[in-house]
Amino acid sequence: MPDTPYVVAHLGVSLDGKTDGFPLDSVRFHQLVGTTWHEDVTLAGSDTVLALEPALVHGPGPRDPGPLLAVVDGRARVTRWEELRDAGHWSEVLALRCRATPPHPRRRHVPELVVGGDQVDLAAALRAIGRRPGAEVVRVASGGRLVGRLLAAGLVDEVSLLVHPVMGVGSRTWWGEAPPPSRSLRLIDSDTFGGGLVWLRYRVA
């Protein structure tokens, strides 16, 4: 048994690896999510969640059964935890924090996992999450910064890229601010869709 769950980084990208500056085919993107991995945990960075917060409305409540939403929130910036939990996508929420995380008001209380000193220890967080019953597949729903940290730590098992037929746009790459470390990749699946979309799935050695 591995000591961490199976971790998938699934991203929509341009041909030159950017994640912004073009219209994401969100219908196809989420269709692939729903039919491919059946995730037990959605792992997101705080920047991604903060971008969602303005659009949150009163939802139908926790999805049961549904994946856990775990958010790397080392600076305690996320505030709308109840709305996230009740959005209808997740069964519950979990804040991943570290010992340096600043105190947060009681009204923002949320179940939390404290791992690491100055920043969230992602390996320790995944090991702890993997001990939860049924937590076997984690999908990373985040931008390049979190994906890059996971790649650098050797914590990604699969990279899934939905490649859009555009290039020369955007500024953010799917692997974050630094080039990803050298890894051998094995193609495990590929597909093409209308409009020039290409889907590539690689297992990380």
Side-chain angles (χ1 to χ4, degrees):
M1 289 284 293
D3 63 354
T4 59
Y6 186 82
V7 177
V8 179
H10 175 61
L11 304 104
V13 302
S14 65
L15 186 61
D16 52 349
K18 302 300 194 303
T19 59
D20 64 330
F22 64 94
L24 173 72
D25 188 332
S26 58
V27 172
R28 179 69 66 181
F29 182 90
H30 291 292
Q31 181 185 57
L32 294 174
V33 169
T35 58
T36 306
W37 298 285
H38 308 291
E39 72 211 64
D40 306 302
V41 180
T42 307
L43 178 64
S46 57
D47 287 342
T48 297
V49 171
L50 288 170
L52 293 175
E53 282 193 345
L56 288 173
V57 297
H58 182 70
R63 176 181 165 191
D64 185 21
L68 164 73
L69 173 63
V71 182
V72 181
D73 189 34
R75 288 180 282 172
R77 296 188 299 155
V78 177
T79 61
R80 301 182 64 181
W81 292 101
E82 290 186 1
E83 291 96 327
L84 286 164
R85 182 199 61 204
D86 294 341
H89 304 300
W90 301 287
S91 59
E92 56 182 315
V93 292
L94 177 68
L96 304 180
R97 292 174 171 152
C98 58
R99 291 187 292 277
T101 298
H104 48 91
R106 185 175 298 276
R107 65 182 176 85
R108 297 180 185 174
H109 176 71
V110 61
E112 67 177 13
L113 174 64
V114 178
V115 283
D118 294 333
Q119 64 178 358
V120 174
D121 184 329
L122 295 175
L126 286 170
R127 286 194 297 270
I129 288 171
R131 290 193 288 268
R132 297 170 64 98
E136 297 180 1
V137 177
V138 173
R139 180 180 67 88
V140 184
S142 193
R145 184 176 302 176
L146 178 57
V147 173
R149 284 188 60 197
L150 291 164
L151 283 170
L155 297 172
V156 177
D157 297 289
E158 179 182 334
V159 173
S160 166
L161 301 176
L162 183 61
V163 183
H164 294 63
V166 294
M167 60 187 301
V169 298
S171 59
R172 298 193 297 269
T173 56
W174 67 264
W175 57 82
E177 298 172 354
S182 177
R183 293 278 192 276
S184 295
L185 303 175
R186 177 171 59 87
L187 183 67
I188 56 176
D189 200 3
S190 64
D191 207 345
T192 57
F193 306 106
L197 287 173
V198 178
W199 182 34
L200 302 171
R201 293 177 63 192
Y202 291 95
R203 183 68 190 263
V204 183

